[in-house]
Amino acid sequence: MSVPEGLLIRKSRKKSGYTQLQLCAKLGISHAPINQVENGWESISLFNLRMICEAIGLEVIIKERNG
């Protein structure tokens, strides 16, 4: 995950009113992955990305590239 996507996740998490720890508790995951994803330090599985995004009001869309 790159920094721009991580920043979008952080911005949406804060807009949703969650701290990192609150979001982790809601999702049943540890704090480190959320922190690493928000800072662009770690990749994330599609499953975990969807779970995080759904919790903070984002949508994951996969589509075929043109060309």
Side-chain angles (χ1 to χ4, degrees):
M1 175 137 317
S2 68
V3 173
E5 289 87 358
L7 293 175
L8 175 61
I9 289 172
R10 175 181 289 146
K11 180 180 175 183
S12 296
R13 172 185 54 77
K14 288 181 176 183
K15 185 178 178 182
S16 296
Y18 291 110
T19 65
Q20 285 185 350
L21 292 176
Q22 290 169 330
L23 181 59
C24 292
K26 175 183 173 87
L27 299 175
I29 61 176
S30 67
H31 175 255
I34 294 286
N35 184 47
Q36 291 170 344
V37 165
E38 286 188 2
N39 287 296
W41 298 334
E42 183 166 310
S43 296
I44 187 170
S45 71
L46 180 57
F47 177 81
N48 284 339
L49 178 62
R50 285 186 70 188
M51 183 173 59
I52 292 167
C53 288
E54 287 175 4
I56 59 175
L58 295 177
E59 181 178 16
V60 177
I61 299 173
I62 300 172
K63 65 180 186 176
E64 187 175 351
R65 284 187 182 181
N66 295 329

